[in-house]
């Protein structure tokens, strides 16, 4: 397969050379570098600094495409990988290459590809570079639409594991039908209905000296979405056969996941509500790896994704071994000319989310819950557990005062079970209140200044925090920013985390240079997390595309 793919890429290069006038070449480049310094306040000494104080993560994509054909490669060079990224990313090489063509409704990809079935709870391969996460497939994918409204997918491959591939082989098929597109009698109806189903199987040899492990593990899913005017309703259910692994402590228990949502939207008003139940749904193409490494599926967190610094100190990471949760959000625009809305109106966003463990009970008097090599536990599907993992209420108000000034105010109340989420046994449930005031002021054409004042109050963990930011932008070329994060409520040591940065944009190229300190913590995107180490240094980021 490897030789075949490189041969195809060579042929595509010949096609490019002979017929570039009929195609298009595109790509992008990114390099993130940092020089690390010692810092007595942070406890960073020469002994715990990396041997090379200058580290960098870089990559480039080159893509050639025509109407029916495309091919591309990605070259990565991590010399060595930045702190916080797994050391197995150290090195260089071609980590992504593919050829793809489509004709008569058939789309074929050979090589690397990303894919998602439904919501992703049964299968999702994607990249989140800021997390150091990439579980791309290497294999074959087919997409076909035999008639209008019917969409079929199939794939087989192995997943990326840093500069290698996971042991397990993943196979999957997915089908979706839009009833309104397929059946002419429904084409003019206001209600739009989509139905879908998926089947995924992974294979890994059983080499365990103690247990007889299933070499083939199957999962199946069904889903629907109904759109009617301003309403949208959907749900997906996934069932996975017993899959003993390092994540679930090698128990022989089936996995289940249910995600349901309902939303309504019109001009000036909208709301959405979503609920989920996840039970023993870790799914890795190597049973011996824990957490997110070579994860086949994606389990949504159902929490608001915050951008403010203090609001991201306690992020929620999905607990695959069992959780139940919900999220509700309300969007409302107070009318212009009203007492609250003023001349330009006022935006209101309210969000509530929580997550609990699922109900678990022993199967018998002789078997404890999660005991290795057993059937695990029994669980009432509709019963919520007693332990709260996470809860958050946030309210955001945004109002334009005049043509030059806009204010955004946010309040967040968070309950964060640090023991369950990140293993802080000595902190338990952390309760925090966060207040943010953001101002945006347009000085003149192309010149603007933005400020942030943030405060986090808590009696647990590291105590209170304060943060201030000033950012000056000369559109579209320059920006300058200075900020300071201060952990003034820390009883052990009160530390400042200052940062100063500047950037320059020219066309599709962006340079950003910064200097400052980074606090240690957990960084999450959509429920997938990585630990960020404390550091002090100079950073340089360069991105470009063509």
């Amino acid at each position: 397969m490897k030789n075949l793919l490189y041969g195809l890429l060579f042929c595509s290069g010949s096609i490019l050379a002979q017929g570039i006038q009929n195609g298009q070449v595109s790509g992008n480049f990114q390099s993130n570098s940092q020089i690390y310094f010692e810092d007595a306040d942070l406890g960073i000494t020469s002994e715990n600094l990396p041997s090379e104080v200058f580290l960098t993560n870089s990559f480039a994509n080159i893509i050639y495409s025509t109407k029916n054909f495309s091919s591309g490669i990605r070259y990565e060079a991590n010399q060595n990988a930045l702190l916080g990224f797994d050391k197995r990313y150290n090195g260089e090489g071609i980590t992504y290459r593919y050829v793809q063509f489509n004709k008569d409704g058939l789309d074929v990809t050979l090589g690397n590809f990303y894919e998602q079935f439904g919501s992703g709870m049964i299968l999702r391969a994607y990249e989140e570079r800021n997390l150091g996460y990439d579980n791309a497939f290497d294999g074959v994918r087919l997409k076909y639409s035999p008639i209008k409204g019917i969409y079929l997918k199939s794939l087989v491959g192995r997943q990326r594991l840093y500069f290698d591939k996971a042991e397990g082989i993943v196979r999957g098929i997915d089908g979706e039908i839009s009833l309104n597109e397929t059946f002419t009698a429904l084409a003019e109806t206001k209600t739009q209905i989509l139905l879908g189903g998926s089947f995924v199987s992974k294979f890994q040899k059983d080499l365990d000296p103690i247990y007889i492990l299933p070499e083939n593990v199957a999962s199946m899913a069904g889903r629907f979405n109904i759109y009617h005017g301003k309403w949208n309703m959907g749900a997906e259910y996934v069932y996975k056969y017993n899959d003993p692994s390092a994540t679930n402590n090698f128990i022989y228990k089936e996995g289940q996941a249910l995600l349901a949502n309902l939303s309504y939207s019109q001009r000036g008003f909208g709301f959405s509500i979503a609920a989920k139940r996840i039970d023993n749904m870790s799914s890795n193409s190597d049973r011996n790896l824990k957490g997110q490494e070579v994860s086949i599926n994606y389990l949504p967190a159902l929490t608001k994704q915050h951008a403010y610094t203090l609001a991201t100190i306690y992020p929620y990471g999905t607990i695959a071994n069992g959780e139940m949760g919900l999220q509700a959000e309300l969007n409302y625009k107070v009318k212009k000319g009203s007492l609250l809305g003023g001349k330009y109106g006022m935006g209101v966003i309210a969000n509530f989310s929580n997550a609990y463990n699922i109900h678990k009970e022993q199967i018998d008097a002789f078997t404890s819950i999660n005991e290795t090599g057993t059937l695990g536990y029994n669980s009432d599907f509709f019963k919520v557990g007693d332990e709260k993992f996470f809860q958050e209420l946030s309210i955001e108000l945004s109002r334009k005062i005049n043509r030059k000034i806009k204010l955004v105010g946010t309040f967040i109340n968070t309950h964060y079970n640090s023991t369950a989420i990140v293993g802080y046994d000595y902190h338990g449930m952390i309760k925090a209140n966060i207040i943010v005031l953001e101002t945006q002021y347009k000085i003149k054409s192309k010149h603007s200044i933005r400020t942030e004042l943030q405060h986090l109050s808590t009696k647990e963990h590291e105590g209170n925090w304060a943060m201030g930011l000033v950012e000056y932008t000369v559109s579209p070329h320059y920006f300058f920013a200075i900020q300071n994060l201060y952990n003034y409520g820390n009883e052990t040591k009160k530390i400042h985390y200052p940062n100063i940065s500047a950037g320059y944009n020219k066309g599709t190229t962006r340079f950003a240079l910064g200097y400052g300190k980074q606090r240690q913590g957990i960084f999450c995107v959509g429920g997938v997390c990585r630990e960020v180490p404390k550091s002090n240094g100079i950073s340089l980021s360069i991105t470009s595309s063509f």
Side-chain angles (χ1 to χ4, degrees):
M1 173 63 76
K2 182 177 180 180
N3 293 332
L4 173 62
L5 288 171
Y6 279 110
L8 289 169
L9 285 172
F10 178 80
C11 292
S12 70
S14 299
I15 294 172
L16 187 154
Q18 297 173 13
I20 194 170
Q21 68 276 12
N22 297 320
Q24 180 179 355
V25 178
S26 61
N28 66 299
F29 165 80
Q30 180 175 314
S31 179
N32 295 321
S33 305
Q34 186 160 347
I35 300 174
Y36 296 91
F37 300 140
E38 296 181 27
D39 190 300
D41 289 337
L42 298 180
I44 301 173
T45 66
S46 58
E47 296 180 356
N48 52 33
L49 276 176
S51 300
E52 65 278 54
V53 295
F54 184 89
L55 302 178
T56 182
N57 293 0
S58 302
F59 74 91
N61 288 304
I62 306 293
I63 299 171
Y64 171 71
S65 59
T66 65
K67 182 179 179 181
N68 301 107
F69 173 85
S70 69
S71 65
I73 63 171
R74 179 199 301 149
Y75 183 86
E76 294 186 19
N78 304 319
Q79 306 289 1
N80 279 324
L82 297 173
L83 294 182
F85 290 83
D86 196 291
K87 291 183 179 180
R88 284 171 287 183
Y89 274 122
N90 291 346
E92 68 289 320
I94 295 175
T95 58
Y96 193 95
R97 73 277 187 271
Y98 76 96
V99 290
Q100 181 179 12
F101 70 89
N102 61 81
K103 186 176 182 181
D104 301 327
L106 177 65
D107 186 304
V108 180
T109 301
L110 295 174
N112 296 111
F113 55 87
Y114 298 106
E115 188 53 77
Q116 178 170 324
F117 292 172
S119 67
M121 292 197 303
I122 189 170
L123 182 142
R124 185 187 183 192
Y126 69 106
E127 179 191 27
E128 181 53 64
R129 190 158 290 273
N130 291 329
L131 292 175
Y133 183 81
D134 188 348
N135 65 339
F137 284 108
D138 188 3
V140 182
R141 177 186 61 186
L142 304 177
K143 295 182 179 181
Y144 187 55
S145 179
I147 62 175
K148 187 176 181 181
I150 295 181
Y151 308 96
L152 305 175
K153 301 177 187 177
S154 68
L155 61 86
V156 58
R158 295 167 63 193
Q159 290 182 283
R160 176 181 179 180
L161 181 61
Y162 306 104
F163 280 97
D164 202 349
K165 288 189 280 288
E167 289 187 19
I169 299 173
V170 180
R171 305 175 180 89
I173 57 175
D174 180 78
E176 186 169 89
I177 178 171
S178 170
L179 299 183
N180 303 79
E181 292 183 58
T182 304
F183 301 101
T184 55
L186 300 175
E188 302 301 324
T189 60
K190 292 183 178 180
T191 303
Q192 307 288 311
I193 302 176
L194 278 75
L195 303 176
S198 309
F199 178 85
V200 174
S201 173
K202 66 171 182 175
F203 170 82
Q204 184 180 5
K205 290 183 178 180
D206 176 17
L207 303 176
D208 194 281
I210 300 175
Y211 302 116
I212 300 175
L213 300 175
E215 294 188 329
N216 290 282
V217 177
S219 303
M220 56 199 73
R223 64 184 185 270
F224 74 88
N225 275 284
I226 301 175
Y227 304 88
H228 182 82
K230 301 169 183 177
W231 291 89
N232 175 30
M233 179 174 63
E236 182 171 24
Y237 172 76
V238 182
Y239 181 89
K240 179 171 68 73
Y241 284 90
N242 69 90
D243 182 18
S245 68
T247 302
N248 66 13
N249 202 33
F250 288 93
I251 61 172
Y252 291 75
K253 186 185 186 304
E254 79 284 352
Q256 298 182 77
L258 175 65
L259 177 65
N261 59 79
L262 174 69
S263 64
Y264 174 86
S265 179
Q266 68 173 33
R267 185 176 181 181
F269 175 77
F271 79 87
S272 63
I273 184 168
K276 65 173 178 178
R277 184 185 191 273
I278 294 171
D279 180 8
N280 193 33
M281 272 304 295
S282 63
S283 182
N284 291 38
S285 52
D286 187 334
R287 66 172 72 91
N288 298 305
L289 298 179
K290 288 186 177 182
Q292 299 299 326
E293 290 182 318
V294 292
S295 180
I296 298 172
N297 60 344
Y298 168 76
L299 303 174
L302 288 191
T303 57
K304 187 175 179 65
Q305 301 300 300
H306 295 290
Y308 295 117
T309 301
L310 295 186
T312 61
I313 286 183
Y314 301 118
Y316 184 66
T318 305
I319 298 177
N321 285 340
E323 67 172 23
M324 297 182 73
L326 62 85
Q327 180 181 30
E329 182 166 286
L330 173 69
N331 290 268
Y332 181 67
K333 182 66 177 292
V334 181
K335 292 182 178 180
K336 299 178 182 179
S338 64
L339 180 63
L340 293 177
K343 182 179 180 180
Y344 299 94
M346 181 174 70
V348 180
I349 302 176
N351 187 284
F352 176 81
S353 60
N354 67 15
Y356 283 78
N357 69 334
I358 61 173
H359 164 258
K360 295 181 179 181
E361 62 180 20
Q362 292 181 211
I363 294 177
D364 53 52
F366 307 100
T367 304
S368 63
I369 293 175
N370 288 343
E371 182 178 339
T372 303
T374 68
L375 296 178
Y377 53 86
N378 290 323
S379 180
D380 186 332
F381 191 90
F382 296 102
K383 187 174 181 179
V384 180
D386 298 325
E387 184 180 13
K388 181 192 292 184
F389 291 153
F390 181 83
Q391 180 174 295
E392 183 177 87
L393 171 67
S394 67
I395 300 174
E396 177 185 297
L397 305 177
S398 59
R399 179 171 173 177
K400 190 174 181 180
I401 306 303
N402 53 45
R403 290 185 176 183
K404 292 188 174 184
I405 301 176
K406 181 181 179 180
L407 302 178
V408 181
T410 304
F411 170 77
I412 304 169
N413 174 262
T414 298
H415 291 193
Y416 187 82
N417 188 334
S418 64
T419 303
I421 300 171
V422 291
Y424 295 163
D425 291 335
Y426 47 90
H427 289 299
M429 182 66 75
I430 299 172
K431 299 179 181 179
N433 290 315
I434 304 164
I435 299 175
V436 181
L437 176 62
E438 177 184 353
T439 64
Q440 301 171 19
Y441 177 59
K442 185 176 181 181
I443 301 172
K444 58 180 180 179
S445 177
K446 298 183 179 181
H447 291 252
S448 63
I449 189 168
R450 188 177 69 88
T451 66
E452 290 180 15
L453 293 175
Q454 304 181 30
H455 186 267
L456 183 152
S457 60
T458 180
K459 296 179 180 179
E460 294 83 27
H461 196 209
E462 298 173 328
N464 295 354
W465 292 80
M467 183 268 194
L469 164 74
V470 178
E471 182 180 77
Y472 185 82
T473 302
V474 182
S475 182
H477 296 299
Y478 305 96
F479 81 86
F480 309 90
I482 183 170
Q483 72 171 46
N484 185 33
L485 184 64
Y486 182 34
N487 188 197
Y488 74 92
N490 195 324
E491 295 181 357
T492 304
K493 196 169 189 178
K494 297 173 174 55
I495 301 178
H496 286 273
Y497 295 86
N499 271 278
I500 183 169
S501 59
Y504 172 71
N505 300 313
K506 184 176 182 180
T508 59
T509 300
R510 182 179 187 271
F511 300 87
L513 181 66
Y515 168 74
K517 299 183 181 184
Q518 169 68 53
R519 60 170 290 272
Q520 182 175 354
I522 304 296
F523 175 62
C524 298
V525 177
V528 179
C529 307
R530 76 173 176 93
E531 186 173 353
V532 178
K534 56 189 176 183
S535 65
N536 182 353
I538 298 173
S539 62
L540 173 64
S541 175
I542 304 172
T543 60
S544 186
S545 61
F546 62 92

